[in-house]
Amino acid sequence: MRFADTTALKIAMIEASRAIIAAEPELTRVDSVIGDGDHGIGLIEQLSENNFSTPYDLFHAVGLCLVKSMGGSSGVLFGTLFISGLEEIKDKDSLNGVDMAAFLSGGIQGVIRRGRANPGDKTMVDALLPAESEMNSALKSTDDLGQVLKAAHKGALSGVESTKNMVSRLGRSKNFREQVIGWPDPGAMSVSILLGGLANSLSQD
Ligand code: ADP
Ligand code: MG
């Protein structure tokens, strides 16, 4: 899909929420302290019950809902991911790959500003930065929304793999020290599932 309007984006967000819910057992196993998997449920309710007139309104609501329903630092950071890039899509009725990349990059920069994670700290940033870089490479040859999201997903997946060898330097899992080696970061996993859900939904023509 080259462009997506608010309705298509809402459907894609619902699909991404479903993907996160489906991964809940795995996410919970990895993040055994809190179980990051249950935030998808609140999101589906919020999305289904409301109408949004623009992509801006939709993603703004998604961001607020994530802060509220997930809670904790990951709720704030996922909320920031959807809120920090909103200026980039202001006044747009539909988004193509270029718009989506600008929106996500703004969100990623926001997450880094807020959480102050460096690459290698074993956080969602280790999925977000490779997602951004794959997305930017894809933009050199296409402005297709589905293609750009697929590239972002691919980058995130390789980022998740890379977190397996990292020791946490931030967040609660830092207390587990070397025990975390071999396990992917749950926040990075959530990022890749989210991008995968969006890419799946928005790649269909
Ligand atoms: P919560 O308070 O939500 O339980 P955690 O400490 O369990 O927070 O972290 C959840 C996820 O959030 C981690 O897997 C990591 O990806 C991400 N995270 C935690 N702290 C930061 C940070 N400062 N910057 C970026 N991401 C972070
Ligand atoms: Mg946690």
Side-chain angles (χ1 to χ4, degrees):
M1 192 180 287
R2 245 190 103 218
F3 276 95
D5 62 9
T6 309
T7 305
L9 291 167
K10 173 170 159 172
I11 291 168
M13 276 310 308
I14 291 176
E15 184 160 334
S17 306
R18 291 216 174 97
I20 288 176
I21 291 168
E24 184 179 352
E26 199 190 344
L27 284 169
T28 305
R29 189 162 55 93
V30 179
D31 185 15
S32 55
V33 187
I34 200 160
D36 284 329
D38 55 353
H39 53 262
I41 297 165
L43 199 51
I44 287 183
E45 279 165 14
Q46 156 92 16
L47 293 172
S48 315
E49 284 164 11
N50 291 288
N51 287 312
F52 306 97
S53 48
T54 58
Y56 183 106
D57 287 345
L58 169 71
F59 289 132
H60 187 238
V62 166
L64 294 183
C65 182
L66 287 171
V67 173
K68 213 172 65 183
S69 70
M70 273 179 94
S73 42
S74 44
V76 171
L77 291 164
F78 273 102
T80 301
L81 181 63
F82 282 92
I83 290 172
S84 284
L86 282 174
E87 271 313 298
E88 305 291 338
I89 57 169
K90 217 174 172 172
D91 306 324
K92 289 192 189 292
D93 290 323
S94 59
L95 306 186
N96 69 1
V98 177
D99 304 323
M100 180 58 82
F103 168 65
L104 286 176
S105 288
I108 292 166
Q109 295 319 309
V111 169
I112 292 170
R113 267 199 312 276
R114 194 175 271 256
R116 297 175 182 279
N118 288 307
D121 285 348
K122 197 177 181 103
T123 70
M124 62 177 77
V125 167
D126 293 307
L128 291 170
L129 286 177
E132 185 179 35
S133 109
E134 286 288 335
M135 202 165 63
N136 287 335
S137 311
L139 283 178
K140 290 178 193 151
S141 55
T142 183
D143 64 0
D144 181 283
L145 178 62
Q147 295 303 318
V148 168
L149 281 168
K150 271 189 182 168
H153 180 225
K154 184 176 153 221
L157 278 178
S158 74
V160 170
E161 268 311 299
S162 76
T163 63
K164 288 185 182 169
N165 299 320
M166 296 174 187
V167 176
S168 310
R169 288 197 283 257
L170 285 168
R172 292 181 203 187
S173 62
K174 159 175 103 208
N175 305 319
F176 291 84
R177 296 171 185 275
E178 286 74 23
Q179 287 175 46
V180 302
I181 291 182
W183 295 93
D185 173 64
M189 284 173 73
S190 301
V191 163
S192 86
I193 296 164
L194 180 80
L195 291 172
L198 293 178
N200 262 340
S201 182
L202 296 167
S203 300
Q204 292 149 11
D205 284 305

